[in-house]
Amino acid sequence: MKKYGIAILALVTATLTFAEIKMPAIFGHKMMFQQQRPINIWGTAKPNSEVKAMFNFKYTTTKADKQGNWKMVLPAEQASFRELALVVYEDDIPNVEFKNILVGEVWIAGGQSNMEWKVERSSDKEIAKKNAKNLNGKMRYFMQSSNGYSKVEKDEFQKGAHWLIVDEKNVCSTSAVGYYFAERLIKDLNVPVGIIYASKGATKMACWTDKQTLMQGWGKDFAQVGGMIKTLENYTNVEYQKLLKAHKEKVAKHDAKVAKAKKEGKPIPTVAWDFRYPPSSESPEKDFKTPIVHFNGKIAPMRNFGVRGVIWYQGESDANGEFLKNYTKSFGMLVDCWRKRLENKDLPFIQVQLASYETKSDWAKAREAQYQNTKLYKNVYMAPIIDTGEAKNIHPHDKTTVGVRMEKIALDKVYNRAEYTSDFPVMKSVQFKGKEAVVVFDTFGRKLTGKGEPRGFEILVDGKWQKANLALNGESVVVKSTNDKTIAGVRYLWKSWTSPDAWLFNGDGIPAIPFSTSK
């Protein structure tokens, strides 16, 4: 009996020792490492212990510090469909093993609700399910909750974050844009592709930028952001409880009004879409309005995990007021922040142009700001989708077009595949000639074409914008006044709802982007 007790004690002690190594959820079974880049890994172990990692039969060793923190860099690997394992040792004892790991192309899928929009709600979901069945493990997806936000920077992701192998059973729960992008990339590059999901509906760019970048970048120029950060830092549990109580009372009062209206046969009182959105212990304001919190919860834990680039679908929430005025600067700070955190100064960003939609916000100016991002910042690109969208739905169901156009940009600009082109027609110059104006486009060697009847252009005459007579002439559009008056300005698709009037495309079917100019 004594020997039996000693054996049990030894087993328990060995189990506890075996459990010392801890690593963030970004490391796990079914994960993917970025090819052709040194592989950064990190975690905690027993203080001062020797930590050794083996990946693809190559060993790397380091030592944990006094607090038990350790990090190391594994050799770069080439993409492969071969399943590998990562084994981490503590003092020469195998401690953690992650299986079924692939090496391939890893992209972050970031933004707001249109990136959050799942395959389940996309128009091509049945095709996606059919194609996912044949992926054979080639696509990996890091699933993390959209609600993983925090007032302070986190070292670990929210509970439940994990990698999954995308197949016909789970594809509908993945980001539609992320999936359609990755699916095409797998086909065209013939390598595994991983998507790291990091999105939340209605979020502003400031939500995805760290405190230091925002405070240094804005200074006194944008007091609203600085004020919100200060309020966030002073937020206490006492204030949270007060807000929670007030919220419950507000909802209960509304529900009572609804019940009474139903009983009396009167119209049901309406409320804002986020009416039932409860207050958070992390922020006094809605999380999608609060600076830094989504960076803290979803991006900060990534540290310098290797990725190839970022696909970014966001902008609707920054398309008005002071946020619109500061659009390009906000985007630049976000890009700078992520590049520093991921330790990649050239990290590519492929942003999505705002689709066509009926809104009171000035999406024409927002789209122009998105285009300017490509001029102001290195390795920033834009996928034009001005010809897509739904008039009454800010979430277009067609996510395939978005993913495909982003993937074409990746092939062209990031992977330098000469057989692919992704440049869109852009206004180069306008020659004003009295009652006529000649709009010259830069087509980057691709033919300029018009689909259907000429449309989409307006001219400025006597201080008012009006329709014009149009004629396509090679790489130019000749715009003429309908009343023989002098033209003072020309614009194309300079409005929020544009899809019916999208006329100009290049030979690859990529739409020309909007513009507005005057003498």
Side-chain angles (χ1 to χ4, degrees):
M1 181 63 70
K2 185 175 181 180
K3 291 182 178 180
Y4 181 78
I6 293 173
I8 291 292
L9 179 60
L11 179 61
V12 170
T13 302
T15 302
L16 290 174
T17 302
F18 189 80
E20 287 290 344
I21 293 281
K22 292 182 180 180
M23 298 173 69
I26 196 74
F27 304 105
H29 301 299
K30 309 172 187 177
M31 71 171 296
M32 187 176 295
F33 284 124
Q34 173 61 45
Q35 70 158 330
Q36 300 169 345
R37 291 183 180 276
I39 298 173
N40 298 301
I41 66 173
W42 63 90
T44 59
K46 289 191 302 183
N48 302 311
S49 61
E50 182 184 69
V51 180
K52 179 167 62 176
M54 182 185 73
F55 185 65
N56 199 17
F57 303 103
K58 300 169 187 173
Y59 284 94
T60 303
T61 304
T62 190
K63 184 176 181 181
D65 64 19
K66 294 180 181 179
Q67 286 73 44
N69 299 306
W70 60 269
K71 59 183 179 180
M72 66 176 71
V73 182
L74 308 179
E77 302 284 350
Q78 292 296 321
S80 171
F81 294 111
R82 185 162 54 95
E83 297 175 2
L84 302 172
L86 171 65
V87 183
V88 183
Y89 300 74
E90 182 183 74
D91 291 333
D92 286 326
I93 299 175
N95 197 285
V96 172
E97 181 178 12
F98 298 125
K99 300 179 180 180
N100 196 350
I101 298 173
L102 295 184
V103 178
E105 290 299 308
V106 183
W107 287 77
I108 300 173
Q112 57 182 103
S113 55
N114 270 305
M115 184 63 84
E116 191 176 26
W117 201 256
K118 301 295 187 284
V119 168
E120 174 65 34
R121 304 174 78 177
S122 70
S123 54
D124 288 333
K125 76 169 185 178
E126 294 303 324
I127 297 175
K129 288 164 67 175
K130 181 180 179 180
N131 292 342
K133 188 176 182 179
N134 300 316
L135 284 174
N136 298 319
K138 298 176 182 178
M139 187 187 300
R140 305 298 168 91
Y141 189 93
F142 184 65
M143 181 77 74
Q144 55 174 325
S145 171
S146 294
N147 294 321
Y149 59 91
S150 170
K151 65 188 295 183
V152 297
E153 290 191 12
K154 292 291 188 179
D155 292 323
E156 175 59 291
F157 299 90
Q158 190 180 55
K159 185 177 180 181
H162 66 285
W163 284 92
L164 57 84
I165 298 175
V166 179
D167 58 27
E168 72 276 15
K169 296 179 180 178
N170 58 34
V171 65
C172 284
S173 65
T174 66
S175 161
V177 172
Y179 171 78
Y180 294 124
F181 172 83
E183 179 192 48
R184 290 295 292 260
L185 210 55
I186 291 170
K187 179 181 178 181
D188 290 329
L189 294 181
N190 193 31
V191 297
V193 174
I195 295 293
I196 298 176
Y197 172 77
S199 303
K200 176 59 187 285
T203 46
K204 298 181 183 298
M205 284 182 276
C207 300
W208 296 96
T209 310
D210 72 349
K211 175 186 172 182
Q212 182 180 8
T213 302
L214 286 177
M215 297 304 285
Q216 289 181 349
W218 288 124
K220 298 179 180 179
D221 294 338
F222 199 177
Q224 184 177 353
V225 172
M228 291 176 74
I229 292 176
K230 186 175 181 180
T231 301
L232 177 68
E233 293 177 333
N234 295 330
Y235 185 52
T236 65
N237 185 60
V238 174
E239 291 179 86
Y240 165 60
Q241 295 299 332
K242 289 181 180 179
L243 290 176
L244 186 61
K245 180 181 178 182
H247 172 75
K248 291 179 178 179
E249 292 174 349
K250 181 179 68 173
V251 171
K253 187 176 181 179
H254 171 72
D255 289 345
K257 288 182 179 179
V258 170
K260 183 179 179 181
K262 288 181 178 179
K263 185 177 181 181
E264 297 175 352
K266 295 181 179 180
I268 304 299
T270 59
V271 291
W273 68 271
D274 60 345
F275 175 77
R276 295 184 183 277
Y277 209 97
S280 166
S281 59
E282 295 292 329
S283 170
E285 183 55 271
K286 301 290 194 297
D287 66 278
F288 51 82
K289 296 180 181 179
T290 306
I292 78 176
V293 295
H294 285 281
F295 172 87
N296 289 343
K298 299 184 186 71
I299 305 303
M302 278 191 228
R303 292 174 57 168
N304 58 354
F305 188 82
V307 301
R308 177 65 71 185
V310 177
I311 52 174
W312 181 256
Y313 197 164
Q314 189 274 346
E316 296 90 340
S317 291
D318 284 282
N320 51 71
E322 290 298 310
F323 289 95
L324 177 55
K325 292 180 182 178
N326 292 287
Y327 197 104
T328 55
K329 187 171 182 180
S330 293
F331 186 81
M333 287 193 291
L334 180 144
V335 169
D336 184 57
C337 165
W338 284 32
R339 286 175 173 171
K340 286 180 179 177
R341 185 55 54 111
L342 294 166
E343 297 183 5
N344 184 348
K345 63 182 178 64
D346 297 319
L347 184 70
F349 274 73
I350 303 175
Q351 59 177 338
V352 182
Q353 180 189 55
L354 294 184
S356 181
Y357 175 60
E358 289 183 356
T359 175
K360 293 181 180 179
S361 297
D362 197 342
W363 281 23
K365 289 184 178 179
R367 294 186 188 112
E368 174 61 21
Q370 290 179 315
Y371 171 61
Q372 290 304 317
N373 287 339
T374 69
K375 300 298 181 184
L376 293 170
Y377 309 113
K378 181 182 178 182
N379 290 345
V380 169
Y381 311 101
M382 185 182 76
I385 57 169
I386 197 74
D387 55 324
T388 71
E390 299 175 26
K392 304 298 182 181
N393 191 348
I394 200 170
H395 304 117
H397 289 77
D398 175 15
K399 293 294 188 283
T400 305
T401 298
V402 182
V404 168
R405 287 183 181 171
M406 296 182 93
E407 189 257 357
K408 181 171 284 190
I409 292 173
L411 292 173
D412 180 15
K413 306 299 184 182
V414 179
Y415 297 105
N416 299 313
R417 297 284 292 268
E419 65 269 36
Y420 295 94
T421 58
S422 62
D423 293 307
F424 42 79
V426 59
M427 185 274 287
K428 185 177 182 181
S429 65
V430 178
Q431 302 166 14
F432 292 98
K433 302 177 180 179
K435 63 180 181 180
E436 179 180 292
V438 179
V439 184
V440 181
F441 284 84
D442 194 341
T443 63
F444 302 95
R446 316 302 288 178
K447 184 180 178 181
L448 189 65
T449 64
K451 291 186 178 182
E453 291 297 317
R455 62 197 184 279
F457 281 83
E458 294 177 292
I459 55 175
L460 183 63
V461 176
D462 293 337
K464 294 182 180 180
W465 291 98
Q466 61 184 45
K467 291 184 178 180
N469 291 323
L470 308 172
L472 181 60
N473 182 18
E475 295 186 347
S476 302
V477 174
V478 180
V479 183
K480 294 183 178 181
S481 172
T482 59
N483 52 14
D484 290 333
K485 291 189 176 182
T486 300
I487 298 175
V490 181
R491 66 186 187 184
Y492 175 66
L493 299 182
W494 198 255
K495 51 190 175 181
S496 297
W497 173 238
T498 59
S499 181
D501 293 324
W503 171 53
L504 285 179
F505 295 76
N506 67 13
D508 300 309
I510 303 175
I513 63 171
F515 72 88
S516 180
T517 187
S518 56
K519 287 184 178 180

